[in-house]
Structure formats: structure tokens, C-alpha cells
Amino acid sequence: RENFIHLCNPHLEKMKEDILYHFALGTGTHDFPALFGDVKFVCVGGSPSRMKAFITYIGEELGLGSPGCDYPNICAGTDRYAMYKVGPVLSVSHGMGIPSISIMLHELIKLLYHAKCSNITIIRIGTSGGIGLEPGSVVITRQSVDATFKPQFEQVILGKTVTRSTNLDEQLAKELMQCSEEIGQFNTVIGNTMCTLDFYEGQGRLDGAICLYNEEEKLQYLKEAYDSGVRNIEMESSVFAAMCNLSGVKAAVVCVTLLNRLEGDQISSSHDVLVEYQQRPQKLVGYFIKKSLGKV
């Protein structure tokens, strides 16, 4: 069954041209079906370099790119986001935080719609702070919760607070977990992910420029988060889940933990160790894509 992107915006039908400003792309200047019509998997992550590394990795894994092959940035006309493509896989950077990923997702969802893509799976791959997990563990998100542990995303629209669901695709999470078990290289769990508006105070850190609480209060809060089912903390998953739900897109969040926040606030692992950690979500999602395409 063909499952197409659902756009929750009737105004778009009245527009002669849709300019995706932050991608430097537009329906009047680019043939979206020709460029992107074969896309089935979209992977998004914070940094442009990480998403270029992912497209290079998946290109080799799928046998679509030669070693050392360079992939052009499709969004080279802007410095806001970077986008790379190989075969049915699109890799896009989203920056840091809810506002940045929200802008990117509005334009990405419209891009997929204009390209007439169907049966799309979107996966956010990234890094996070763990709670009660060894550094290097991978968390597949069951639900994204806010800083009060509620599975919701709140946004003020036209002066009114709108609340949206942040559930993610349960079957997709199970499939990803099965893939990790088949790989057997690192610890992976399914758990809730807390999405915050800030890296420092919003996540209970003691090492920011401003901190008006003590270590005991911090630890009590993080333990309450753990008891509610939270296993990691990042800053994008809530709006990602909400927007994918509204657009009828199957979505997942796969993040590696760089530290255990119950034991500290600063990331102290060596550069080489952190690089290896950051490759774990890529390996897991890469394996999932290969398996989905019958290449495992």
C-alpha cells in the first residue's frame, strides 16, 4: 500500500511556487520528483559533517558509492542545513534544538510531498546524555517526553498553547531493536527520551554559567526522570515526533549516550572514543536500511 506524505496545510495548494528558503531549493527551480522521488529513508542529525559521514557510510554499505567517493551538498546555496543523497537514502543536518530542527522538518516534509515520495521512514540519529546507562549505550526512543516527563510537545500558535502527541512508531522501534541484537556490538535499549529546551539548566547541569540549584536537587530530578522511564536526554525529539505524526510519516529516534548524567555533567571520554560512540547509531540504522532493502 502506498503511503504518501500528508500535508496539514490547505494554503499550499494555492501557491504557484513553493520556495524552501533554508534549503535553497524551490518547486519553480528544481524538479523534485526527479531529484528525490526514489527516496524511502531519510536520516537526520545535528551536524553537517556527521550527516556527510553517514551518507558516505551508507553508500558503501549499499554498494552504491565507491571508496572515497565525494557527495555534493544539495543545499550548497545556503549555510543553514546540509543535504546529501545516495540511492533511496537522504541525509540531512538539522542543527541544535527544537527551533532549528522544526524549520528543517517543515521544509523536508514539503520536499518529500512535492517529490511524491511514498512509504517514507525518517530516523533521527544523534548523541545524548544517558541516565543510568553506560556511556556508549544506544537508546531507541519509545516516547519523547518534556521536562516534566509528559509525552507531549507544546507550542504557542496565534497566542494559544497547542499540545501535540510525541509517540513514535512502536513497530519501527522493535525492528530497530531486533537489528541491534543481530549486530551484537553494543548495548541498546528502548526507553523514553526527555527533550529539553536547553543544554545546561534545562537538563539539570551544574556546570553552566548560571545554576541556582544544588547537586542533591539535580540528582533527585534525574532519578525521578529515570523512574518515569527516561533513559536519555536531548533537544530535538519532541517536535520531531509531533511533526512526523501529523504528516503520517513512520519515524524513530536513535541516539547514543555520551555519558551517564547520574555520574557527572561534562563529557570526558577521548576524541577517538566519542567518534566510535557516534558511529553506533549510524551502524544500527545502516543495518536496518540494508535489511529493509534485502541486502543483509
Side-chain angles (χ1 to χ4, degrees):
R1 191 178 115 189
E2 294 292 294
N3 182 24
F4 292 93
I5 302 290
H6 173 65
L7 281 191
C8 301
N9 184 358
H11 305 289
L12 291 174
E13 295 178 9
K14 303 171 186 176
M15 294 168 50
K16 291 182 180 179
E17 180 182 2
D18 191 2
I19 299 171
L20 309 186
Y21 174 73
H22 301 90
F23 285 168
L25 299 171
T27 55
T29 53
H30 297 79
D31 186 340
F32 282 39
L35 289 169
F36 306 107
D38 61 339
V39 170
K40 296 297 179 185
F41 304 94
V42 183
C43 295
V44 303
S47 77
S49 62
R50 195 182 305 153
M51 300 323 293
K52 185 169 186 178
F54 175 75
I55 208 69
T56 302
Y57 172 75
I58 197 66
E60 292 181 9
E61 288 292 297
L62 297 178
L64 298 175
S66 57
C69 178
D70 188 38
Y71 295 89
N73 177 10
I74 298 169
C75 297
T78 176
D79 60 0
R80 295 295 183 187
Y81 304 105
M83 180 186 296
Y84 306 96
K85 182 181 183 297
V86 63
V89 183
L90 197 63
S91 178
V92 192
S93 70
H94 58 59
M96 187 181 291
I98 286 172
S100 184
I101 192 174
S102 171
I103 294 166
M104 188 281 290
L105 285 171
H106 273 282
E107 300 190 12
L108 173 65
I109 290 165
K110 291 197 296 176
L111 179 153
L112 297 170
Y113 173 81
H114 292 313
K116 298 179 171 55
C117 294
S118 64
N119 302 332
I120 292 288
T121 298
I122 303 182
I123 303 177
R124 165 167 145 67
I125 55 176
T127 59
S128 63
I131 303 182
L133 296 174
E134 285 295 310
S137 298
V138 172
V139 179
I140 301 167
T141 304
R142 176 182 291 111
Q143 289 179 316
S144 175
V145 301
D146 63 17
T148 64
F149 319 139
K150 294 177 183 176
Q152 63 184 32
F153 171 65
E154 288 188 346
Q155 183 172 4
V156 177
I157 302 173
L158 301 182
K160 298 177 182 178
T161 300
V162 175
T163 303
R164 291 170 174 166
S165 167
T166 55
N167 288 338
L168 287 152
D169 191 279
E170 186 177 350
Q171 182 58 35
L172 178 55
K174 289 179 180 177
E175 291 174 15
L176 286 162
M177 188 68 192
Q178 177 62 34
C179 286
S180 181
E181 291 171 0
E182 291 173 18
I183 295 171
Q185 294 181 10
F186 40 79
N187 179 47
T188 303
V189 301
I190 294 178
N192 289 349
T193 295
M194 183 163 72
C195 183
T196 66
L197 302 177
D198 166 55
F199 185 80
Y200 286 98
E201 290 177 283
Q203 297 187 10
R205 279 185 163 82
L206 302 173
D207 61 343
I210 299 169
C211 180
L212 304 177
Y213 45 85
N214 60 38
E215 185 170 11
E216 183 180 348
E217 291 170 320
K218 164 209 159 173
L219 288 174
Q220 180 181 347
Y221 175 68
L222 293 181
K223 286 174 182 175
E224 288 175 2
Y226 184 89
D227 291 341
S228 76
V230 172
R231 292 297 176 267
N232 65 333
I233 311 173
E234 46 85 92
M235 298 191 294
E236 293 86 20
S237 59
S238 62
V239 71
F240 174 80
M243 291 183 70
C244 288
N245 280 337
L246 285 170
S247 304
V249 179
K250 198 161 61 168
V253 178
V254 179
C255 289
V256 69
T257 60
L258 300 183
L259 75 167
N260 180 359
R261 287 293 317 289
L262 295 175
E263 296 179 354
D265 294 331
Q266 297 205 330
I267 298 168
S268 57
S269 298
S270 70
H271 173 75
D272 290 346
V273 168
L274 291 176
V275 168
E276 195 279 320
Y277 285 172
Q278 291 175 23
Q279 291 172 348
R280 293 180 179 186
Q282 296 186 18
K283 288 181 180 178
L284 174 50
V285 174
Y287 183 89
F288 165 79
I289 291 173
K290 284 177 66 177
K291 187 176 179 182
S292 300
L293 295 173
K295 292 180 177 286
V296 170

